[in-house]
Amino acid sequence: ITEDEEIPYIPSTAIRGLLRIHSEKLARALGHRVCGGFGRESCASKILNNGRNLTEIIDELLIKNRGLEAIELLWKEICVICKVFGAPRYESRITTYNALPISPNSVGLGHKVIIAIDRGTGTEIPGSSKVIEYIQPGSRFKFRIDLINLPNYLMGLISSVLMDINIGIARIGGYRSKGFGVISIKNPRILIIHHSDESGNETVLRALDENDEDIKITETTLTGAKAENLLRKLASLWLKRAKALE
């Protein structure tokens, strides 16, 4: 990714994809309807009781300068995944960044030959072998995720995904069935920025909708065990409130 050398990194799109796919699994496991994200399966194409398309109604409200009403209707009708990752007419509330090596020596590359096995004979299928490149175990990257104006329980959904990543349930990249893609999160740091009293202060993350609850905090910059403790609190709130969201 520089002009004079190649630097291994984890693309932000891969991180976002992992977060979304596993968020969908967690939401479905708790009985939530999760849309397909595109086309007729998306929340934006939802037909309401009046027989009209959600997007059409939102556009009409925006044309009439009834923006607040449009936001309230969107929040009511879209699924929990769209509330986090965005939908047509609704901006994503999560931003991911490329995960870059902590230092030039913190990442190593390896190569492995993989083959396909004939199930009938139990031998290698001729011409099936290929060489793949992978990140060596022990490699270290730094990464960043921004969550913007999300209720505490939806931050808890993302926290649950991060916790599942840390124990190897959620994996990243290809060849996961062959053991690749296991990562862990070390030395987390959480920075909380309030732009108004409505979202909270140095001691609390305020509830942002009727399904949410306040979360007590000790400071707005948390590292290590304190950051991990906040992630657990948020994840617990997701489990507690998820059933009430449908």
Side-chain angles (χ1 to χ4, degrees):
I1 59 173
T2 62
E3 294 182 358
D4 55 348
E5 62 179 330
E6 293 184 358
I7 301 175
Y9 72 101
I10 303 174
S12 61
T13 50
I15 297 172
R16 182 183 178 89
L18 169 61
L19 294 174
R20 175 161 189 146
I21 290 171
H22 202 69
S23 292
E24 290 178 358
K25 290 179 180 178
L26 294 179
R28 288 193 179 101
L30 291 172
H32 281 268
R33 176 194 63 83
V34 174
C35 80
F38 300 97
R40 294 181 179 180
E41 295 182 358
S42 72
C43 289
S45 300
K46 184 177 182 180
I47 303 299
L48 303 187
N49 292 335
N50 58 10
R52 299 184 61 194
N53 180 287
L54 176 60
T55 302
E56 294 175 356
I57 298 174
I58 295 300
D59 288 344
E60 182 179 297
L61 291 172
L62 293 175
I63 291 173
K64 295 179 179 179
N65 293 320
R66 294 160 62 182
L68 181 59
E69 189 176 342
I71 292 173
E72 291 175 347
L73 179 61
L74 267 173
W75 191 257
K76 176 184 176 183
E77 296 295 340
I78 61 178
C79 69
V80 292
I81 301 302
C82 285
K83 287 177 179 178
V84 177
F85 293 92
R89 310 300 189 272
Y90 185 77
E91 187 177 6
S92 172
R93 293 296 184 255
I94 183 170
T95 301
T96 56
Y97 300 82
N98 292 335
L100 303 175
I102 290 178
S103 69
N105 298 322
S106 69
V107 176
L109 294 176
H111 298 85
K112 181 179 179 64
V113 177
I114 61 173
I115 60 174
I117 299 296
D118 186 305
R119 294 183 180 181
T121 64
T123 60
E124 177 186 350
I125 298 175
S128 67
S129 65
K130 59 181 177 179
V131 178
I132 62 170
E133 188 176 61
Y134 63 92
I135 300 295
Q136 290 278 13
S139 297
R140 295 182 298 159
F141 296 83
K142 54 185 176 182
F143 79 105
R144 170 180 167 182
I145 300 171
D146 292 346
L147 301 178
I148 306 167
N149 294 338
L150 274 178
N152 294 326
Y153 62 88
L154 290 181
M155 290 197 291
L157 172 57
I158 299 301
S159 297
S160 298
V161 176
L162 296 178
M163 293 170 67
D164 280 355
I165 289 173
N166 226 20
I167 59 177
I169 295 178
R171 301 182 181 187
I172 193 167
Y175 298 103
R176 293 187 294 274
S177 63
K178 292 179 170 60
F180 290 96
V182 177
I183 59 176
S184 60
I185 301 170
K186 304 294 185 182
N187 304 318
R189 178 176 179 267
I190 299 175
L191 175 63
I192 301 168
I193 300 175
H194 297 291
H195 293 289
S196 75
D197 292 337
E198 292 183 7
S199 66
N201 52 44
E202 293 82 2
T203 62
V204 65
L205 298 173
R206 297 197 193 283
L208 295 185
D209 69 20
E210 65 277 6
N211 290 307
D212 207 8
E213 293 182 15
D214 290 351
I215 292 287
K216 292 182 179 180
I217 57 176
T218 56
E219 50 197 295
T220 54
T221 301
L222 302 99
T223 59
K226 289 183 178 180
E228 292 171 356
N229 184 52
L230 179 56
L231 291 175
R232 284 192 291 269
K233 282 185 179 180
L234 292 168
S236 295
L237 180 60
W238 158 250
L239 290 175
K240 177 182 177 181
R241 301 304 300 167
K243 287 294 184 180
L245 300 178
E246 279 295 281

